[in-house]
Amino acid sequence: MTDQIDTPEIIDDSAAPTETEVDNAEQKHMRSIRTFVMRAGRMTPAQQKALDEQWPTLGLELADGLIDYAKVFEREAPTVLEIGFGMGDSLLAMAEAAPEINFIGIEVHKPGVGRLLNNVAKAGLKNLKVYNDDALLVLKDCIADGSLDGIQLFFPDPWHKKKHHKRRMVQPEIAQTFRAKLKLGGKFHMATDWENYAEHMMEVMSAAEGYRNAAGEGEYSPQPESRPDTKFQRRGERLGHGVWDLVFERTE
């Protein structure tokens, strides 16, 4: 994979690229930098069965384009989007604890998607739907501007090597993509067990236009009761890592 931007084709060597061509090239460049890796994982029979049987009712497709929450969930309710739910246990717990909220989860790894679908079906939940795709593409093609009450990003890949920091999900451009999708007053809630990534998140979000730190300038938020511990959090704590929550609210 390359991070290089393809130069727009110019028929006349003396002509400069237009503003539209430059914008398109920049968007292509952003899409070429993945914020995740496709890790190998074997599907269990139960996970595969859940994918086969539950996807028609619980799954959402990128190809279907912009979604109507009222139609998908058969009701009007606050809607929260979680990016990268892993095996889905904490997202399931949140959906069970807050039946008044609609939850949409996005995850690229099929074993995690299968596990979550299996557990959602067992619990009989109606307030949780799932994408198995790239979160940035889902946001671009499927989520209307100003429609989300919350975006959650819990324990994303820290890309701890400095040369890989550009692959971190929390970046200035992506922060503005998230802001566009949030309602005024909507919250972007992050959590990580990597101190360097927490500092990076704080730096990016403190400088991001149109956000306010819910805990106060430069302050981390206490873990809210609504966010259950995750597998990654427990693993990090066993390794002696701290855990940092950041909550930023859209103000404009």
Side-chain angles (χ1 to χ4, degrees):
M1 178 162 305
T2 177
D3 295 334
Q4 184 176 359
I5 301 175
D6 293 334
T7 303
E9 182 180 0
I10 303 173
I11 303 302
D12 180 358
D13 290 340
S14 66
T18 67
E19 184 176 344
T20 298
E21 288 173 325
V22 171
D23 287 345
N24 288 342
E26 288 177 349
Q27 291 173 9
K28 183 176 181 180
H29 175 55
M30 287 180 63
R31 289 196 302 270
S32 72
I33 300 177
R34 281 196 170 184
T35 58
F36 60 89
V37 292
M38 294 298 291
R39 297 182 177 87
R42 181 175 296 178
M43 297 282 291
T44 67
Q47 291 165 357
Q48 186 62 60
K49 182 179 180 183
L51 271 172
D52 294 340
E53 296 181 355
Q54 306 303 330
W55 187 260
T57 54
L58 299 177
L60 298 170
E61 296 285 355
L62 180 68
D64 290 340
L66 200 66
I67 63 172
D68 181 339
Y69 304 141
K71 183 177 180 180
V72 166
F73 290 99
E74 300 181 344
R75 66 175 185 174
E76 298 280 355
T79 302
V80 172
L81 177 78
E82 178 162 336
I83 296 172
F85 57 73
M87 299 306 286
D89 293 348
S90 65
L91 180 55
L92 179 78
M94 282 184 280
E96 287 181 308
E100 73 281 4
I101 296 175
N102 295 333
F103 289 90
I104 298 173
I106 308 177
E107 178 56 58
V108 295
H109 303 291
K110 285 189 180 296
V113 174
R115 176 182 171 87
L116 179 59
L117 294 183
N118 188 36
N119 289 332
V120 168
K122 287 180 178 179
L125 298 183
K126 304 298 184 183
N127 64 328
L128 178 54
K129 304 291 183 179
V130 176
Y131 280 100
N132 178 209
D133 221 306
D134 184 329
L136 296 181
L137 294 179
V138 171
L139 284 164
K140 174 179 175 293
D141 294 342
C142 305
I143 305 300
D145 287 352
S147 67
L148 293 173
D149 295 87
I151 296 176
Q152 300 177 167
L153 181 69
F154 299 151
F155 303 94
D157 193 323
W159 294 103
H160 55 275
K161 292 183 179 179
K162 188 173 182 179
K163 66 180 180 179
H164 291 154
H165 284 185
K166 62 182 178 292
R167 298 186 181 276
R168 289 174 167 177
M169 177 63 78
V170 180
Q171 301 289 353
E173 298 87 352
I174 297 176
Q176 293 308 316
T177 296
F178 291 174
R179 180 168 74 101
K181 302 304 176 181
L182 288 167
K183 297 176 181 178
L184 285 175
K187 293 180 173 60
F188 176 28
H189 182 187
M190 299 148 275
T192 181
D193 64 333
W194 286 83
E195 185 173 11
N196 176 263
Y197 199 2
E199 292 168 350
H200 171 90
M201 290 173 169
M202 183 65 75
E203 179 180 357
V204 169
M205 294 307 301
S206 295
E209 181 181 355
Y211 283 100
R212 178 186 68 86
N213 187 337
E217 186 175 353
E219 296 294 327
Y220 295 98
S221 293
Q223 180 178 341
E225 292 183 4
S226 60
R227 181 179 76 73
D229 292 350
T230 70
K231 179 186 73 172
F232 290 102
Q233 177 173 349
R234 292 190 293 270
R235 184 185 67 182
E237 289 172 339
R238 287 196 301 271
L239 294 172
H241 296 184
V243 175
W244 294 266
D245 282 75
L246 299 87
V247 180
F248 279 75
E249 178 182 336
R250 180 182 176 180
T251 58
E252 59 183 73

